[in-house]
């Protein structure tokens, strides 16, 4: 067993935005990175169960405005999250365009109007992305899952740079 406990977020080359997070992590452990990506696999049963939880009468617009761990002291991070008033304007516009809204969030995070909460665990959330017609995401696990599935999405970068976190 090899225990990999170094933190690439605290490495000088990453902090000063000299390289991508993946490159920093690999360098810390002496691993040659060849550009490979993790693979996500979902069974047909998983897809069917997730699809039943989603709205189904209109095209789906997925939006994620915040991330992080559960019950944070500060639920909004200016370096990562979309401001609620701007996000609400986007949702209102997409509703006018005829979309059903799916807000990717936990129950303890702020909710947007016209975006009912859907109880999805992490794996179900990643699977649900397959059914989205349009996506607006922050730098988060959803963005990484979309990258693996080659699913086009718009990712906002407030305080971070895609050269260090994105694809």
């Amino acid at each position: 067993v090899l225990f990999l406990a170094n933190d690439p977020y605290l490495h000088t080359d990453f902090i000063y935005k000299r390289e991508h997070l993946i490159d920093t992590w690999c360098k810390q452990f002496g691993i040659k990175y060849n550009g490979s990506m993790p693979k996500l696999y979902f069974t047909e049963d998983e897809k069917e169960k997730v699809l039943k939880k989603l709205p189904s009468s209109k095209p789906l617009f997925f939006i994620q405005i915040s991330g992080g761990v559960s019950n944070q002291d500060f639920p909004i991070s200016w370096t990562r999250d979309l401001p609620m008033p701007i996000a609400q304007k986007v949702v209102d516009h997409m509703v006018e365009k005829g979309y059903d809204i799916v807000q990717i969030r936990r129950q303890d995070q702020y909710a947007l109007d016209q975006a009912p909460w859907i109880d999805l665990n992490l794996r179900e959330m990643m699977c649900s992305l397959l059914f989205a017609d349009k996506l607006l995401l922050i730098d988060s696990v959803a963005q990484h899952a979309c990258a693996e599935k080659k699913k086009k999405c718009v990712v906002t970068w407030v305080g971070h740079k895609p050269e260090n976190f994105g694809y």
Side-chain angles (χ1 to χ4, degrees):
V1 173
L2 179 62
F3 185 70
L4 306 173
N6 289 342
D7 189 344
Y9 291 97
L10 301 177
H11 191 278
T12 301
D13 287 337
F14 176 74
I15 290 171
Y16 286 110
K17 297 179 168 94
R18 294 181 192 142
E19 63 189 12
H20 195 281
L21 181 64
I22 294 170
D23 296 320
T24 301
W25 187 88
C26 288
K27 186 168 69 176
Q28 284 184 307
F29 297 108
I31 298 169
K32 183 170 172 59
Y33 180 58
N34 63 3
S36 65
M37 297 282 287
K39 298 290 182 198
L40 295 171
Y41 298 95
F42 302 105
T43 67
E44 291 305 313
D45 187 51
E46 284 178 296
K47 292 176 191 175
E48 287 176 25
K49 286 180 181 175
V50 166
L51 192 55
K52 287 179 183 174
K53 292 184 177 186
L54 299 174
S56 62
S57 62
K58 301 175 186 173
L60 296 175
F61 172 68
F62 281 49
I63 185 169
Q64 183 181 22
I65 65 167
S66 60
V69 296
S70 297
N71 301 310
Q72 300 174 97
D73 290 337
F74 302 100
I76 296 290
S77 167
W78 73 267
T79 62
R80 177 197 59 224
D81 299 347
L82 281 174
M84 292 253 330
I86 293 171
Q88 188 61 60
K89 286 181 183 179
V90 171
V91 166
D92 294 345
H93 176 77
M94 295 306 283
V95 167
E96 286 176 19
K97 290 274 200 184
Y99 286 85
D100 274 331
I101 310 302
V102 174
Q103 183 181 355
I104 299 171
R105 70 177 185 91
R106 295 185 314 272
Q107 195 167 17
D108 68 324
Q109 292 175 313
Y110 292 121
L112 296 165
D113 293 337
Q114 304 184 80
W117 182 65
I118 301 173
D119 187 8
L120 300 172
N121 64 38
L122 182 61
R123 185 168 175 82
E124 290 171 328
M125 182 277 294
M126 290 188 289
C127 181
S128 74
L129 300 169
L130 299 172
F131 305 106
D133 294 285
K134 296 199 180 288
L135 298 113
L136 175 60
L137 307 172
I138 61 169
D139 173 33
S140 68
V141 68
Q143 179 236 159
H144 301 299
C146 284
E148 187 281 326
K149 291 297 180 192
K150 297 184 177 27
K151 181 89 174 172
K152 289 186 178 188
C153 60
V154 173
V155 180
T156 60
W157 298 93
V158 179
H160 298 142
K161 292 171 41 177
E163 295 81 11
N164 301 108
F165 283 98
Y167 306 97

